[in-house]
């Protein structure tokens, strides 16, 4: 008897990852294709679904595919579209769900990648028994998925939850969105790199990071240096945690979550980022919220969380 699964798809600027996800959160036949290199979205989808079909055929397994869930930059849950995503080569409004149905005429749901991560956390991760929480994805940028009373908050237009683009520093760093001072320009993998280079210019302390170019520097390198006692790296985490914690306190004020989960490359730095973030979050919370909100690592760190989240999105729709 064929096993019921959905296809979870995570569209990134460089790679698109996919997997067959069952209702329990087990993922099968995971793979990826290049996102770039296709002049139009139709040729991209043609390549994606040919690759998925090929992996299914070569596996010899039988699956009953119930639906397709997609997490994508600027994915709109209400309309099934991707709208003006700055890191994708296809510009404007892409009617993604309708295009996918030309390849597979089954239920399709689309949302942004951080909302998918929040659904994955709720269905398969650390938020299984929670109805009010926030997931913060600390990758190249900062994404956020907000869950209230067991439902992802989408807002009236499908784009709620853009905590990465609240203004954290007045007239601060230029952001890719066109604004200045957005939270993600400070609290993200790219943001902490910018902080390191500011510190290297302003401070005289010795640092192993001085010999690394900006393009070659990674959040992992900064974390490794901090673990070895590098003062510049330690300062960079302290600054990042201060700004992130202060702004998470603002997020707590409007949604009163049971927990906030940090996910992504920068979150893997552990206490280097968690300790200053927690300290400054508590310092800036109203008394009624203090010592109530847990700051936790994602329960999906060792799994393909983006694919599971996209799978969770469509399972959630099918079970309504």
């Amino acid at each position: 008897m064929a096993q019921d699964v959905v296809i979870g798809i995570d569209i990134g600027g460089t790679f698109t990852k996919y997997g067959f996800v069952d209702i329990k959160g087990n993922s099968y036949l995971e793979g990826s294709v290049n996102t770039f290199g296709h002049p139009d979205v139709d040729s991209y989808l043609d390549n994606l679904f040919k690759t998925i079909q090929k992996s299914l055929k070569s596996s010899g397994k039988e699956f009953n595919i119930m639906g397709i869930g997609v997490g994508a930059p600027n994915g709109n849950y209400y309309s099934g579209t991707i709208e003006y995503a700055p890191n994708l080569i296809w510009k404007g409004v892409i009617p993604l769900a309708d295009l996918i149905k030309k390849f597979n005429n089954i239920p399709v749901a689309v949302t942004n990648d951080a909302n998918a991560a929040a659904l994955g956390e709720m269905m398969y991760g650390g938020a299984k028994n929670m109805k009010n929480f926030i997931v913060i994805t600390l990758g190249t940028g900062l994404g956020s998925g907000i869950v209230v009373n067991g439902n992802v908050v989408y807002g009236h237009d499908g784009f709620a939850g853009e905590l990465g683009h609240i203004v954290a520093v007045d007239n601060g760093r230029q952001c890719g969105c066109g604004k200045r001072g957005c939270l993600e320009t400070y609290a993200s993998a790219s943001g902490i790199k910018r902080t390191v280079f500011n510190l290297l210019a302003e401070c005289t302390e010795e640092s192993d990071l001085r010999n690394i170019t900006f393009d070659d520097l990674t959040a992992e390198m900064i974390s490794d240096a901090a673990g070895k006692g590098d003062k510049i790296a330690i300062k960079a985490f302290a600054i990042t945690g201060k700004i992130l914690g202060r702004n998470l306190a603002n997020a707590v004020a409007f949604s009163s979550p049971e927990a906030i989960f940090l996910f992504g490359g920068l979150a893997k730095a552990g206490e280097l980022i968690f300790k200053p973030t927690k300290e400054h979050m508590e310092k800036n919370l109203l008394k009624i919220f203090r010592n109530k909100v847990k700051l936790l690592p994602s329960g999906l760190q060792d799994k393909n969380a983006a694919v599971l989240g996209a799978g969770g999105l469509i399972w959630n729709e099918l079970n309504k």
Side-chain angles (χ1 to χ4, degrees):
M1 186 176 175
Q3 184 176 1
D4 289 346
V5 296
V6 296
I7 300 176
I9 298 172
D10 171 55
I11 301 177
T14 306
F15 293 105
T16 294
K17 299 175 181 178
Y18 65 84
F20 293 74
V21 181
D22 68 20
I23 190 68
K24 294 180 179 178
N26 299 305
S27 187
Y28 310 90
L29 307 183
E30 292 181 352
S32 66
V33 299
N34 286 333
T35 305
F36 65 89
H38 299 277
D40 58 75
V41 71
D42 292 288
S43 65
Y44 157 76
L45 289 173
D46 183 60
N47 178 56
L48 172 62
F49 285 108
K50 278 181 178 175
T51 303
I52 290 173
Q53 193 61 38
K54 188 177 178 181
S55 70
L56 178 58
K57 192 174 180 180
S58 63
S59 74
K61 295 183 178 180
E62 285 190 35
F63 290 117
N64 180 30
I65 301 171
M66 308 286 289
I68 298 172
V70 184
N74 288 25
N76 189 321
Y77 170 76
Y78 291 147
S79 61
T81 55
I82 295 175
E83 302 186 23
Y84 308 102
N87 63 338
L88 295 180
I89 59 173
W90 319 298
K91 302 307 177 186
V93 178
I94 309 297
L96 190 69
D98 290 341
L99 292 172
I100 286 174
K101 285 179 181 178
K102 292 179 182 178
F103 294 89
N104 293 272
N105 193 21
I106 52 179
V108 177
V110 176
T111 192
N112 77 38
D113 37 8
N115 285 340
L119 279 164
E121 202 69 55
M122 183 166 59
M123 294 183 73
Y124 312 122
K128 270 185 181 177
N129 299 312
M130 296 183 189
K131 290 191 176 294
N132 296 275
F133 65 94
I134 297 173
V135 170
I136 303 290
T137 60
L138 298 171
T140 304
L142 185 152
S144 56
I146 301 166
V147 174
V148 174
N149 295 333
N151 296 304
V152 174
V153 175
Y154 291 110
H156 85 281
D157 60 355
F159 290 116
E162 288 289 351
L163 294 181
H165 296 286
I166 59 176
V167 177
V169 177
D170 189 40
N171 200 32
R173 295 172 180 172
Q174 181 70 52
C175 182
C177 75
K179 292 172 28 178
R180 283 191 168 275
C182 290
L183 179 59
E184 74 171 36
T185 66
Y186 297 89
S188 64
S190 55
I192 199 170
K193 281 173 59 173
R194 293 169 81 168
T195 300
V196 163
F197 270 76
N198 286 346
L199 288 170
L200 290 172
E202 294 171 359
C203 305
T204 58
E205 285 104 330
E206 290 185 12
S207 172
D208 290 340
L209 304 177
R210 290 191 182 277
N211 299 319
I212 305 171
T213 67
F214 186 85
D215 286 343
D216 289 336
L217 184 63
T218 65
E220 187 176 4
M221 289 177 185
I222 301 168
S223 177
D224 288 344
K228 295 173 184 174
D230 189 294
K231 291 182 179 179
I232 295 291
I234 291 169
K235 280 185 183 178
F237 274 107
I239 291 168
T240 303
K242 180 178 181 179
I243 294 172
L244 179 58
R246 188 172 63 208
N247 284 278
L248 290 184
N250 293 335
V252 168
F254 72 72
S255 70
S256 186
E258 179 179 346
I260 298 175
F261 294 87
L262 300 186
F263 178 77
L266 195 57
K268 291 180 181 177
E271 283 301 294
L272 288 167
I273 188 67
F274 276 85
K275 187 177 179 181
T277 300
K278 178 71 171 174
E279 177 189 340
H280 289 281
M281 182 179 80
E282 291 292 344
K283 190 179 289 186
N284 288 279
L285 284 173
L286 283 167
K287 284 185 179 180
I288 55 174
F289 296 120
R290 283 181 192 161
N291 300 309
K292 287 182 181 178
V293 184
K294 298 184 278 274
L295 188 66
L296 301 169
S298 168
L300 299 172
Q301 290 284 18
D302 298 325
K303 299 178 181 178
N304 195 333
V307 167
L308 284 180
L313 168 68
I314 189 63
W315 273 125
N316 196 50
E317 292 299 300
L318 294 170
N319 291 328
K320 279 184 177 178

